[in-house]
Amino acid sequence: MEESTQPKKLTTAAGRPIFDNQNSVSAGARGPLLLQDYFLHEKLAHFNRERIPERVVHAKGSGAYGTFTVTHDITHLTRAKLFSKVGNECRMFARFSTVGGEKGSADTERDPRGFALKFYTEDGNWDLVGNNTPVFFVKDPVKFPDFIHTQKREARSNLKSPTMMWDFWSLNPESLHQVTILMSDRGTPYGYRHMHGYGSHTFSLINAQNERVWVKFHFRTEQGVKNFSSDDSAQMKAQDADFAQHDLVAAIDNGNFPRWKMFIQTMTQEQARTFRWNPFDLTKVWPQGEFPLQEVGVMELNEVPVNYHAHVEQAAFAPAHVVDGIGYSPDKMLQGRLLGYPDAQRYRLGANYEHLPVNACPYGFSNYQRDGQMALGNNGGPGPNYFPNSFDGPVEDKTVGEPAEQLDGLYADRYDRNEGPGDNDHYTQPGNLFRLLDAQAQRNLIDNIVGSMSGISGPKKDLIVQRQLCHWFRADIRLGMAIAKGLGVDVEMPTQHVAAAAV
């Protein structure tokens, strides 16, 4: 029988045809995602189970305990007890990591860095799970597994593939902002102590009057920003693959405790409705000239864990873990992570992963969850495991509800993530970033891009290179020209036939 020339139809694992593999089901174009989007669940759940036992992403990391101290009053913005007065202090745990590499990979690879924080507050644990960049490569969680696959190993050779990476990036111009940061000197930070951290997503703050504002969290290093050059990072990879771990442990052991100041940006709901970009788009920043940084507190790391596996490897973070006074937003990537991160931890560590000492709330907890792997403690003792009950089991706290949130639309559908006002502008912010760099930093960025894109190979090389060059030209003509020259591409070559739009 002659083989069909028609492409295979994409389906779920049960064989159901998939209509849209790039946009999650949301309540309106900017509304929250819906639980009924089974394909999103299936895709993320399968992705979380692709590797055992190390983390699928952020496998190589370092961690330390410390303290967070409130230095400025923001009680007009949030009723969270942690921020109830200046001088409040809580214990915390931080884990830094590379993203794409395996557990034995080098600390100095060109890669974003994870910046995950756990605050042990009297209202429960608050996890702020971010990166050392304020943006990300994609804006819809259904695209996340595809992106990460391009950062891992190619199926045939089991090698990292610049062709896969640049093929994906050239087909997804929404990645351009993060790619520009990654290819700059910020893509190779000098360990973990000399980089900023970001919550990245938009969250919300809710005050005592039940008023909501949108918020972004920033952590600015007090050690000063310091990066490796591309050549120096490669040399350090050969010299000390665990450089960042050595640097962090040595600093704390020597009493040189690293510190970061916490700042926030806030945006009112009215400002969000009229902002020229979608304020919940993870590929965009809020310009600090319009939404200035407001200082909140300081974080200091001062204790190396006594056992790496027990405290760093078993640390489990999830952006779903917020406290009263801090809430979510319609950020689609955040909405996907609310599901995906706890699911990843249950798979990796078991259903009772929050019983482990590094993850447990030191102020205790009470619920009706029982049994499962590693049910530490007395597993609820003789108490009831159902609600409501007549036997003095824990009851609801009616004082901590959030204000109702007006949804963006009344129709549940798959809305094109790039169709709204300003949503298809993937070039202004990367171009602005390039123009903000000094001449040497611009040169380094160009050299790093050329070096990486030079690794593109195979029969689709010219197509991928031309498609990606279109994006660089749209961001900044000087940037595009310099990259084309570095790659030896004749810029007079017609590129109009190359599809540069997102698929």
Side-chain angles (χ1 to χ4, degrees):
M1 176 181 286
E2 188 174 312
E3 188 174 338
S4 172
T5 58
Q6 296 297 316
K8 291 182 179 179
K9 300 296 184 184
L10 186 64
T11 72
T12 67
R16 176 184 171 186
I18 293 170
F19 167 71
D20 187 338
N21 190 30
Q22 303 213 57
N23 299 286
S24 300
V25 179
S26 59
R30 296 185 177 181
L33 304 186
L34 300 187
L35 190 63
Q36 71 187 44
D37 190 356
Y38 168 73
F39 176 59
L40 172 62
H41 297 184
E42 178 184 276
K43 190 172 183 180
L44 292 178
H46 187 279
F47 175 71
N48 281 336
R49 289 161 174 80
E50 286 181 358
R51 304 285 188 276
I52 56 173
E54 71 180 30
R55 290 168 168 87
V56 178
V57 288
H58 299 276
K60 176 78 179 291
S62 303
Y65 286 99
T67 56
F68 176 77
T69 305
V70 177
T71 59
H72 290 70
D73 183 10
I74 57 168
T75 53
H76 60 294
L77 297 172
T78 178
R79 62 180 182 237
K81 289 182 181 177
L82 173 60
F83 301 111
S84 62
K85 66 177 181 179
V86 172
N88 273 3
E89 182 177 292
C90 75
R91 194 164 188 250
M92 61 167 301
F93 182 80
R95 184 178 186 271
F96 310 114
S97 56
T98 52
V99 177
E102 298 90 354
K103 195 166 183 284
S105 59
D107 286 350
T108 57
E109 296 279 8
R110 183 170 298 280
D111 203 8
R113 300 298 191 271
F115 199 102
L117 309 176
K118 187 182 295 288
F119 301 85
Y120 303 104
T121 88
E122 60 182 301
D123 253 358
N125 291 350
W126 171 36
D127 288 356
L128 191 59
V129 192
N131 285 321
N132 70 329
T133 63
V135 296
F136 195 62
F137 296 92
V138 293
K139 62 172 78 174
D140 191 302
V142 78
K143 298 181 70 63
F144 183 67
D146 297 302
F147 162 66
I148 292 297
H149 286 164
T150 71
Q151 307 300 298
K152 294 292 186 177
R153 295 183 179 272
E154 189 263 338
R156 175 180 171 274
S157 68
N158 197 40
L159 297 172
K160 295 292 185 73
S161 170
T163 304
M164 285 199 310
M165 290 192 302
W166 287 103
D167 186 36
F168 181 87
W169 289 337
S170 68
L171 287 166
N172 290 275
E174 68 198 72
S175 300
L176 196 67
H177 196 179
Q178 175 73 313
V179 171
T180 306
I181 296 174
L182 177 64
M183 289 296 151
S184 74
D185 292 339
R186 291 168 66 183
T188 50
Y190 189 90
Y192 299 130
R193 296 184 300 123
H194 295 278
M195 65 184 191
H196 295 327
Y198 304 87
S200 301
H201 296 291
T202 300
F203 292 90
S204 56
L205 295 178
I206 301 164
N207 66 14
Q209 289 73 46
N210 229 23
E211 299 165 331
R212 177 189 283 115
V213 296
W214 305 119
V215 64
K216 285 185 178 288
F217 295 97
H218 299 245
F219 289 80
R220 301 183 71 84
T221 176
E222 291 195 6
Q223 290 67 244
V225 172
K226 187 176 179 181
N227 299 305
F228 282 112
S229 69
S230 190
D231 289 342
D232 287 344
S233 69
Q235 291 176 14
M236 184 55 72
K237 176 181 176 180
Q239 179 181 333
D240 182 3
D242 301 316
F243 169 80
Q245 172 75 2
H246 278 139
D247 181 71
L248 181 65
V249 171
I252 296 174
D253 283 347
N254 293 330
N256 183 20
F257 302 142
R259 293 162 57 97
W260 287 260
K261 284 185 178 179
M262 177 201 271
F263 295 83
I264 59 173
Q265 288 178 288
T266 58
M267 181 184 292
T268 67
Q269 295 184 75
E270 181 57 36
Q271 287 174 316
R273 281 189 282 269
T274 59
F275 190 48
R276 60 189 175 281
W277 291 298
N278 177 1
F280 312 114
D281 181 346
L282 188 55
T283 67
K284 306 287 196 305
V285 297
W286 298 355
Q288 293 181 20
E290 299 174 61
F291 304 95
L293 296 179
Q294 307 168 54
E295 189 170 347
V296 177
V298 63
M299 139 182 152
E300 176 184 278
L301 299 182
N302 48 35
E303 179 187 340
V304 176
V306 295
N307 183 280
Y308 180 90
H309 179 83
H311 297 268
V312 183
E313 188 63 18
Q314 293 193 133
F317 301 87
H321 295 159
V322 296
V323 295
D324 183 46
I326 302 173
Y328 311 133
S329 82
D331 179 335
K332 290 184 180 182
M333 282 296 292
L334 172 60
Q335 295 270 316
R337 293 175 85 200
L338 299 180
L339 166 77
Y341 272 57
D343 183 57
Q345 309 299 359
R346 295 183 193 106
Y347 160 68
R348 190 172 66 89
L349 298 170
N352 293 301
Y353 72 91
E354 290 181 274
H355 293 191
L356 295 167
V358 67
N359 302 319
C361 176
Y363 298 93
F365 65 92
S366 54
N367 57 39
Y368 295 98
Q369 297 170 15
R370 302 287 187 271
D371 309 338
Q373 295 177 342
M374 298 188 300
L376 306 183
N378 67 357
N379 195 36
N385 65 349
Y386 60 93
F387 178 85
N389 63 79
S390 304
F391 301 98
D392 300 321
V395 298
E396 300 156 324
D397 183 351
K398 298 296 188 182
T399 69
V400 296
E402 295 187 8
E405 183 177 343
Q406 183 176 351
L407 300 182
D408 182 66
L410 300 177
Y411 298 94
D413 202 351
R414 295 185 184 274
Y415 295 88
D416 188 325
R417 66 198 184 285
N418 293 320
E419 206 168 62
D423 289 345
N424 206 32
D425 176 6
H426 310 300
Y427 306 106
T428 299
Q429 291 201 359
N432 288 342
L433 176 58
F434 173 72
R435 290 182 286 273
L436 282 171
L437 300 176
D438 62 38
Q440 184 59 53
Q442 289 184 352
R443 185 71 256 165
N444 293 347
L445 172 63
I446 292 163
D447 289 346
N448 294 335
I449 293 170
V450 171
S452 182
M453 288 185 65
S454 295
I456 301 171
S457 62
K460 300 289 187 179
K461 174 182 177 179
D462 290 343
L463 173 67
I464 296 169
V465 168
Q466 289 287 338
R467 190 163 52 208
Q468 184 62 39
L469 279 175
C470 287
H471 301 320
W472 295 126
F473 274 107
R474 291 177 180 183
D476 186 275
I477 189 69
R478 291 190 302 116
L479 176 60
M481 291 285 287
I483 294 170
K485 181 179 179 182
L487 292 171
V489 175
D490 183 356
V491 294
E492 297 300 320
M493 185 185 302
T495 57
Q496 287 84 353
H497 67 285
V498 178
V503 296

